[in-house]
Every structure is written in C-alpha cells, then in structure tokens.
Amino acid sequence: MQLWPAKSEMFLSPLGQNEVMRRMKLAVKPVKYQSFKNRSLGDEEEEVFLFNGNVSENAFAISQIVSRPNNFLPLIKGKVEGGQSGSLIHLEFKLFPSVKYFLGFWVILMLMFSIVSYSQGENALTIIFPLVILVASYALILSRFNDAYQKSRRELMRLIS
C-alpha cells in the first residue's frame, strides 16, 4: 500500500527518443548551476526553462519551476525508450523525500499526542482531535499533490508531445 501520494504512467510520444531528450535538455534548468542563458526550442526566443532537474542520456529527474513555494510539487522521474513510431516514456510522480520525512514526523507527533492523552485518561476530545488533524492533513496533502501533479503533467505533455 502506498502511504504517500504518487502517480505512475506510460506515455507514447510521436517524437523520436533523440528529439524528446533534446527538448528536455533545452527546457530543464540544471540544478547545480546558479545562472543561465536563455535557450530556444525552435525559432522563437522565449523563457523555456519549464523544469529544474537533471537530464541524462535517456532518463530525467525534474520538477516544475514555480513562482511561489509549493511543498507538494511532484518530483518527476522519467525514462525514454525509442521505438519505430515514436518514444515510450515511463513517468513517476512522487513527493520529494524531504517532504515525506517532514510529513512522517508530523504523523508520528500527532499519534504520540493521541497515545499520551489516552494513557493519561484524558477526555475523548483530546484523544480524537490529533487523529482528526491527521485525517484533515492527509486530505490536504492528497488535494495539493493532485493539483500540482495535474499542472506539472500538463506542462510535461506539452513539451514532449
């Protein structure tokens, strides 16, 4: 059972493997550098860095560039396989490990509050309230991740289709 939100899918792009990887290299800002010159996907010059991350020969690990912080932005890992009629792209959308660690700490903390309240014979409200907060937090996590997933997926599909 998957504890944290994640999505996995396969996509068939009409573009060849080399073209998909060329577009990825042009649109992904490497995370190890501080400043960049603008690059172009075609004839027109525009801001083309859609993602941060790393692109290798036939795989990538990226996240969408956003204008304001978003902890639920998915880490997108992909592998591109060339074929005769295009490319098969395997995609995984997951939470960043640091976000998982923080959320795991939050779950343990809320469970500990409930256990301590129960062991001290507190009233039902002090036992149940942290559990209600956990359920509400999980619903928020799912909602925010799915929203960020849809936006990131839309930009990625626009890039590799």
Side-chain angles (χ1 to χ4, degrees):
M1 182 178 127
Q2 180 77 20
L3 181 61
W4 304 119
K7 306 270 185 186
S8 180
E9 61 185 73
M10 292 170 55
F11 175 73
L12 183 60
S13 174
L15 303 173
Q17 179 179 5
N18 292 337
E19 178 62 16
V20 169
M21 295 313 295
R22 183 185 78 79
R23 287 180 176 218
M24 291 298 295
K25 287 176 183 171
L26 289 174
V28 174
K29 178 166 67 169
V31 289
K32 60 184 172 183
Y33 298 114
Q34 295 287 330
S35 63
F36 303 93
K37 299 218 184 269
N38 203 7
R39 296 186 262 178
S40 174
L41 282 172
D43 296 343
E44 50 195 70
E45 287 289 327
E46 60 181 73
E47 185 67 31
V48 295
F49 291 125
L50 303 172
F51 300 94
N52 287 317
N54 297 310
V55 178
S56 65
E57 191 170 319
N58 64 347
F60 53 88
I62 59 175
S63 66
Q64 187 177 13
I65 293 176
V66 291
S67 58
R68 55 190 183 125
N70 184 350
N71 290 333
F72 303 103
L73 199 63
L75 172 63
I76 307 167
K77 291 186 178 182
K79 184 177 178 187
V80 181
E81 296 177 6
Q84 292 180 355
S85 63
S87 300
L88 183 62
I89 304 167
H90 304 271
L91 298 171
E92 289 183 16
F93 298 81
K94 298 179 178 180
L95 286 173
F96 278 86
S98 58
V99 174
K100 289 180 187 178
Y101 296 142
F102 176 75
L103 294 174
F105 171 75
W106 179 250
V107 167
I108 291 170
L109 187 65
M110 290 294 110
L111 288 175
M112 292 295 290
F113 282 149
S114 288
I115 292 169
V116 167
S117 294
Y118 178 75
S119 68
Q120 291 182 353
E122 297 287 332
N123 62 20
L125 182 61
T126 58
I127 296 169
I128 295 174
F129 188 68
L131 299 176
V132 170
I133 289 175
L134 272 181
V135 171
S137 298
Y138 192 71
L140 178 69
I141 291 166
L142 287 177
S143 171
R144 297 288 308 266
F145 176 81
N146 286 332
D147 184 46
Y149 158 74
Q150 291 295 334
K151 289 176 183 174
S152 294
R153 184 182 184 280
R154 190 177 319 117
E155 286 298 317
L156 184 59
M157 292 302 145
R158 189 172 67 91
L159 177 65
I160 60 178
S161 302

